[in-house]
Amino acid sequence: MLGLGIAAVTVYAQWMKQDLLLDEDAHSSASAMVKQPSGQDLIPYEEVQRRATKDECWVIINGAVYDVTDFLERHPGGEAAILALAGSDVSEVFNSLHPSDALQLLPPEAHLGVVDPSTLPARTNAIPTADERRRMDAREEMPTAEDMLLVQDFEEWAQRVLSGTAWSYYRSAADEEHTFHENRLAFQRYFLRPRILRDMTHGTLETSVLGIPTSMPLFISPAAMAKLGHPLGEVNLTRAAGDCGVVQAISSNASCSLDEMFGAAAPDQPLIFQLYLNKDRSASEALIKRVDKLGAKAIMFTVDVCWASKRTLDVRAKSSAKVAHPVSPSASSATATATATATATATPTATPPSSAAPAGIAEAIGGYQDRNLTWEDISFIRKHTKLPIIVKGVQSLEDVVQCVENGVEGVILSNHGGRQADYAPAPIDILYEIRCYRPDLFAKTEIMIDGGIRTGADVVKALALGAKAVGIGRPILYANGTHGEQGVRRVLEIFREEITNTMRNCGVSRVEDLRPEMVGPAGPWVGWNRPVYVPVPPTP
């Protein structure tokens, strides 16, 4: 939607405004509009500056002047996001977050002409801030993608080299971030039971998801705003997924256009489209039909964003440019690593990374989404496509049952990476509940999980419990931000290495040979700690 990109004018708004304002003398020497022989109007920059109010709002995007006055009230992120940079050149921030075809959604009359380049203020070479210097120095020190050994390495370097805006949006989680940490820590409560003396000469990770072949039981979860980390954005993810033979789920809030992502896909490369239902259901209907026509293999219906949430790091970073806030241990947990101990507390830091946006990125880009979702919405989607439907964001066994009753082909146990309801359960725990109490559900729909997965061993645990595949989100965004397409490809290679190593060392050479009795709670399987699906050994 156009709103996604225009919402991005909130980012860097205050320092951009300062850089672009002319002094009083410049304002008084406005030049007249020029009409070129071609008939195209050249609009003086001073004329654009004068249109910076709610009653008349112009912006410059890639050299062209647009009148967005009539769009203000329809902007999902609120009119203040646009007015923050009204009357100026918003190209830099627009291009960093906006699909390339978004301007096509404006009516033709909104395009007023081209800004007269001779009237633009001279751009001075800004002196890098201390934070910018720190990030530039970190990039000089950063290892190559091939030298990254663990998925966690990408996160640690991403925190050092990404902008405050990018890091805060990618890393942010809800409230005190208990669910964010629990997603990761929960995997540490489950241990593998390797079997020995089995022939490991041959093996494969190949499997399928909803009948879609994949080189390994892993998919790229829908992740928005990849251009915050790299100029090519989600196109990097698409290309890496194609090279590695895995499925990519593309986000409704992607910063690249559908044409760009589908165009970057290799022949026959499978893409799944993640759908947020629009308040305007006719817009969703058109979008479903469009992705169907483009060749999407399934619709992934996200249902766990049923109300706004306070994504603390993202929101706090917007305020830190103005005032330093005291930071609680969990709120400063951006410094915590995925190998946190069970206490899951990080050392407080003085301030989070700063961003000049007046509101969080998540708040700015999600205004169009309908929060009033019901089970009838599955029928709405089914009415407009024959593609398989995956419901993403299921957080209880009971709702898995309802998904089955509503005929969906797949479910993803997920709490939105801990970004919605704090204290929601970890997906691996819900998967364990299903294995213990309703194992029949695995035969009725394909059950997947995402959230907290950082190692190949995590993947193997989920697969053994019955997951068809697992989704990877934040690590992909981090790797894209540090090394672009090469980084995304390396993350997928690391997972392939670790899944293979873990399976073989557990006596399993094929995904379909993993069994529930190969994983269970940490500690001795005695008494209450013994999984209900593992029979008690017979006594001699």
Side-chain angles (χ1 to χ4, degrees):
M1 293 182 63
L2 178 64
L4 299 184
I6 297 294
V9 300
T10 61
V11 186
Y12 313 128
Q14 298 180 14
W15 66 264
M16 286 278 290
K17 195 74 171 181
Q18 280 187 333
D19 284 350
L20 295 172
L21 284 176
L22 298 177
D23 59 31
E24 292 300 322
D25 291 337
H27 278 285
S28 65
S29 60
S31 56
M33 185 178 297
V34 175
K35 185 175 289 289
Q36 295 179 299
S38 64
Q40 177 174 255
D41 288 328
L42 288 181
I43 303 173
Y45 181 67
E46 293 90 332
E47 290 298 316
V48 179
Q49 283 188 300
R50 292 195 180 104
R51 276 72 174 188
T53 68
K54 183 176 180 180
D55 295 327
E56 195 171 17
C57 183
W58 293 7
V59 294
I60 301 169
I61 301 174
N62 301 328
V65 179
Y66 294 91
D67 183 347
V68 294
T69 309
D70 293 339
F71 182 71
L72 291 174
E73 292 184 356
R74 295 184 288 112
H75 176 227
E79 62 185 26
I82 301 177
L83 292 172
L85 282 178
S88 67
D89 189 337
V90 301
S91 303
E92 182 177 350
V93 67
F94 184 89
N95 292 332
S96 70
L97 296 172
H98 204 288
S100 62
D101 62 353
L103 289 174
Q104 298 174 13
L105 301 179
L106 282 175
E109 58 270 21
H111 181 203
L112 303 178
V114 177
V115 67
D116 186 342
S118 67
T119 66
L120 289 170
R123 296 191 66 88
T124 58
N125 293 325
I127 299 175
T129 65
D131 182 65
E132 289 169 340
R133 288 196 299 270
R134 176 189 60 78
R135 290 192 282 115
M136 289 188 289
D137 291 343
R139 282 207 175 267
E140 291 293 325
E141 301 171 13
M142 186 172 64
T144 65
E146 289 75 14
D147 289 331
M148 298 290 196
L149 297 181
L150 302 173
V151 170
Q152 180 63 23
D153 293 343
F154 286 98
E155 179 171 353
E156 293 170 0
W157 280 102
Q159 185 175 2
R160 296 181 61 183
V161 304
L162 289 180
S163 69
T165 299
W167 172 257
S168 297
Y169 175 66
Y170 291 162
R171 169 54 186 78
S172 62
D175 301 338
E176 293 187 333
E177 303 185 340
H178 294 286
T179 289
F180 169 82
H181 289 295
E182 182 67 7
N183 283 351
R184 180 75 194 99
L185 293 172
F187 278 96
Q188 299 179 24
R189 294 197 292 270
Y190 298 90
F191 271 61
L192 297 163
R193 290 292 173 110
R195 303 302 300 269
I196 61 172
L197 299 178
R198 298 185 177 187
D199 186 1
M200 294 290 106
T201 305
H202 304 288
T204 180
L205 298 185
E206 293 181 358
T207 184
S208 65
V209 177
L210 298 178
I212 305 169
T214 177
S215 67
M216 58 178 164
L218 175 153
F219 61 91
I220 295 179
S221 292
M225 314 313 288
K227 280 188 180 179
L228 281 173
H230 191 280
L232 294 182
E234 287 81 4
V235 165
N236 283 337
L237 280 58
T238 302
R239 290 172 176 165
D243 288 345
C244 296
V246 301
V247 176
Q248 177 195 7
I250 57 179
S251 171
S252 284
N253 290 344
S255 50
C256 291
S257 70
L258 287 172
D259 288 338
E260 287 174 317
M261 290 180 285
F262 277 90
D268 300 321
Q269 178 181 339
L271 296 175
I272 291 174
F273 182 71
Q274 176 267 332
L275 177 69
Y276 287 117
L277 281 181
N278 198 306
K279 295 171 185 174
D280 177 1
R281 285 295 194 270
S282 64
S284 291
E285 177 183 345
L287 182 57
I288 292 168
K289 291 179 178 178
R290 186 182 178 201
V291 297
D292 198 336
K293 185 176 180 180
L294 283 169
K297 301 300 183 184
I299 298 294
M300 184 180 289
F301 176 32
T302 295
V303 298
D304 54 2
V305 187
C306 43
W307 200 255
S309 64
K310 179 175 60 187
R311 298 181 183 179
T312 308
L313 189 62
D314 188 23
V315 177
R316 193 187 295 277
K318 314 311 166 187
S319 303
S320 65
K322 298 180 180 179
V323 59
H325 293 274
V327 182
S328 66
S330 55
S332 66
S333 56
T335 59
T337 68
T339 54
T341 61
T343 57
T345 56
T347 303
T349 57
T351 58
S354 63
S355 169
I361 295 292
E363 179 183 345
I365 69 175
Y368 74 95
Q369 295 166 208
D370 194 348
R371 314 292 188 185
N372 184 28
L373 302 177
T374 69
W375 291 102
E376 284 71 29
D377 288 315
I378 294 175
S379 298
F380 168 80
I381 298 171
R382 185 79 71 192
K383 178 181 178 182
H384 299 294
T385 183
K386 294 182 179 179
L387 293 174
I389 297 174
I390 306 167
V391 175
K392 180 179 183 291
V394 181
Q395 298 167 79
S396 69
L397 185 157
E398 292 80 5
D399 279 344
V400 175
V401 173
Q402 283 209 259
C403 283
V404 170
E405 292 173 351
N406 279 270
V408 302
E409 286 79 6
V411 300
I412 299 178
L413 307 178
S414 173
N415 51 44
H416 219 82
R419 291 159 79 91
Q420 288 305 116
D422 207 8
Y423 288 99
I428 188 68
D429 285 341
I430 302 301
L431 186 67
Y432 182 68
E433 287 182 20
I434 297 171
R435 172 53 61 189
C436 288
Y437 299 120
R438 288 295 306 272
D440 59 297
L441 293 173
F442 291 106
K444 297 178 179 179
T445 190
E446 295 196 4
I447 298 176
M448 296 161 269
I449 74 168
D450 82 350
I453 297 161
R454 296 295 184 272
T455 70
D458 294 339
V459 177
V460 173
K461 293 174 191 179
L463 297 175
L465 285 173
K468 188 68 174 177
V470 304
I472 308 298
R474 282 187 178 93
I476 297 295
L477 290 174
Y478 296 146
N480 180 61
T482 58
H483 297 85
E485 179 185 344
Q486 190 177 18
V488 178
R489 189 183 298 110
R490 178 58 184 150
V491 163
L492 296 174
E493 290 172 351
I494 291 173
F495 272 111
R496 187 186 304 279
E497 295 165 1
E498 294 182 355
I499 295 170
T500 300
N501 294 345
T502 303
M503 283 177 52
R504 298 296 181 90
N505 283 310
C506 286
V508 178
S509 60
R510 301 183 306 167
V511 173
E512 56 265 34
D513 293 334
L514 285 165
R515 295 289 180 267
E517 55 268 24
M518 293 179 169
V519 65
W525 287 1
V526 176
W528 61 267
N529 199 48
R530 189 172 189 83
V532 297
Y533 52 80
V534 179
V536 177
T539 56

